[in-house]
Amino acid sequence: QVTLKESGPVLVKPTETLTLTCTVSGFSLSNARMGVSWIRQPPGKALEWLAHIFSNDEKSYSTSLKSRLTISKDTSKSQVVLTMTNIDPVDTATYYCARAKELSSGWPPDAFDVWGQGTMVTVSS
Amino acid sequence: SYELTQPPSVSVSPGQTASITCSGDKLEDKYACWYQQKPGQSPVLVIYRDNKRPSGIPERFSGSNSGYTATLTISGTQAMDEADYYCQAWESSTAVVFGGGTKLTVL
């Protein structure tokens, strides 16, 4: 069974750095053709894509948040980590990680077929 | 930057057909997919690669993509289909793009 599970702090103070971890099971991050994205959703609002890490370790970031985000993976721990610097109350949201298979044709990857349960992060002093 | 536009809300009577649109520049050149999200739950993939259904998704869900518009169609809509629906595509310059979401009301 393929699962992804997000973990991280529930409450973060403004200007701090947020670190979120996505632990995957049922598939290997070291296998070819599996990528993981981070996606967030402020309360009552739409989904917003943040960052993606491809199987070859290439990374892609939201244009508007690129300067604040870093995505990485530790294949030995089956984890994908997202850091977001200079946190602000507008960053309050549920943060999801989701898997996307990479097709044999190369681009684009497939849809996000498995999502984590999400982790709610509140930014407040 | 690339954008996908969805209507904020769609209403449908039980048993009728609901259509939710997603518009974007030359969207037909990309694969469109659709997610269903019920309150308090994570999104669930219901259509991928324009018109393919993942296993476990009812046959009443179908998709199409032509020109500038992708469409999610729910035939014989049931009360359990009431949810928010998001379209999504991969775009070469901005990577992943989501639409703004459509709230489907079954009344």
Side-chain angles (χ1 to χ4, degrees):
Chain A
Q1 182 188 8
V2 174
T3 64
L4 296 88
K5 186 172 184 179
E6 306 87 349
S7 59
V10 174
L11 182 64
V12 183
K13 288 182 168 54
T15 74
E16 290 185 341
T17 293
L18 170 67
T19 299
L20 296 170
T21 300
C22 174
T23 302
V24 310
S25 63
F27 71 99
S28 173
L29 292 172
S30 60
N31 277 355
R33 307 201 182 287
M34 294 291 184
V36 173
S37 265
W38 283 95
I39 298 149
R40 71 179 179 181
Q41 185 172 38
K45 296 189 177 182
L47 300 171
E48 178 184 18
W49 175 76
L50 300 176
H52 187 82
I53 189 162
F54 294 86
S55 60
N56 64 0
D57 212 37
E58 274 193 40
K59 292 116 178 173
S60 187
Y61 296 98
S62 162
T63 303
S64 61
L65 294 168
K66 185 173 184 176
S67 64
R68 299 173 53 208
L69 298 175
T70 302
I71 190 170
S72 62
K73 64 181 175 180
D74 185 334
T75 55
S76 66
K77 295 182 179 179
S78 295
Q79 293 179 336
V80 176
V81 176
L82 180 75
T83 61
M84 179 182 292
T85 61
N86 195 23
I87 283 287
D88 183 89
V90 300
D91 297 313
T92 293
T94 296
Y95 287 76
Y96 297 99
C97 57
R99 181 185 82 164
K101 296 177 185 176
E102 295 162 11
L103 304 175
S104 57
S105 58
W107 180 270
D110 219 339
F112 297 110
D113 63 338
V114 185
W115 293 63
Q117 64 190 21
T119 185
M120 178 66 194
V121 177
T122 300
V123 183
S124 174
S125 55
Chain B
S1 61
Y2 193 80
E3 295 183 356
L4 294 174
T5 302
Q6 298 180 235
S9 63
V10 169
S11 297
V12 64
S13 300
Q16 298 303 302
T17 296
S19 295
I20 301 173
T21 58
C22 173
S23 299
D25 187 31
K26 297 180 181 178
L27 183 54
E28 68 176 350
D29 293 341
K30 312 177 195 305
Y31 279 138
C33 57
W34 293 89
Y35 303 91
Q36 176 194 69
Q37 187 180 34
K38 296 182 179 180
Q41 298 183 17
S42 301
V44 173
L45 179 66
V46 295
I47 293 290
Y48 67 104
R49 290 185 230 163
D50 296 337
N51 54 22
K52 300 191 184 322
R53 273 181 295 106
S55 61
I57 300 302
E59 288 185 11
R60 63 180 182 274
F61 288 86
S62 63
S64 64
N65 185 7
S66 178
Y68 285 61
T69 304
T71 303
L72 173 69
T73 303
I74 309 173
S75 305
T77 306
Q78 300 182 10
M80 68 172 65
D81 301 328
E82 188 164 285
D84 294 328
Y85 290 85
Y86 294 90
C87 62
Q88 178 250 314
W90 286 84
E91 207 281 323
S92 58
S93 62
T94 53
V96 177
V97 181
F98 284 98
T102 299
K103 181 177 180 61
L104 177 67
T105 301
V106 182
L107 41 68

